[in-house]
Structures are given as structure tokens and as C-alpha cells.
Amino acid sequence: MNWVQLAYEYLVGGLFFGVTLFLCFRAGAAQRSNWSDRRTLIISLLGLAGYFAVHLGWILAASA
């Protein structure tokens, strides 16, 4: 298992993801006070964490 590859994918990809979300909220395209925008933020963060969990599980299952 190449842990460096997994860390790179989610650290660098997560950085781009985080910067993009920051820019959206800073520019006013989205607002945390708006329920719909807050819900989209939560779903996006949970989706990233869920995809990481599934990816990690898939890698661990393949290496077993």
C-alpha cells in the first residue's frame, strides 16, 4: 500500500477543495447564514470525508 499516494491525493486535493470553498464564501457567492448554502457546504464536506473513507476501505481490502 502506498500511503504517500493516498495522503497526496487527499491533502493536495483537499487543499484545492478548501481554497475553492473559501473563495466562494469570501466572494459572497455563498453565505453561511443561508440554510441552503450551509446545507450544501455540509453535504460537500461529508461527501469528501465519505469518499475518503470508501477509498481507504477499498485500498485496505485490496491489500488484505
Side-chain angles (χ1 to χ4, degrees), residues 13-23 45 48:
L15 179 66
F16 280 111
F17 183 75
V19 167
T20 301
L21 285 176
F22 172 75
L23 291 174
L45 292 174
L48 178 66

Side-chain angles (χ1 to χ4, degrees), residues 6-7 10 12 18-26 28 30 32 36 39-40 42-44 46 49 53 57 59-60 63:
L6 183 69
Y10 286 96
V12 173
V19 167
T20 301
L21 285 176
F22 172 75
L23 291 174
C24 285
F25 281 93
R26 191 188 77 170
R32 284 181 285 178
S36 177
R39 180 175 169 228
T40 300
I42 292 168
I43 290 171
S44 297
L46 289 175
I59 290 171
L60 290 173
S63 64

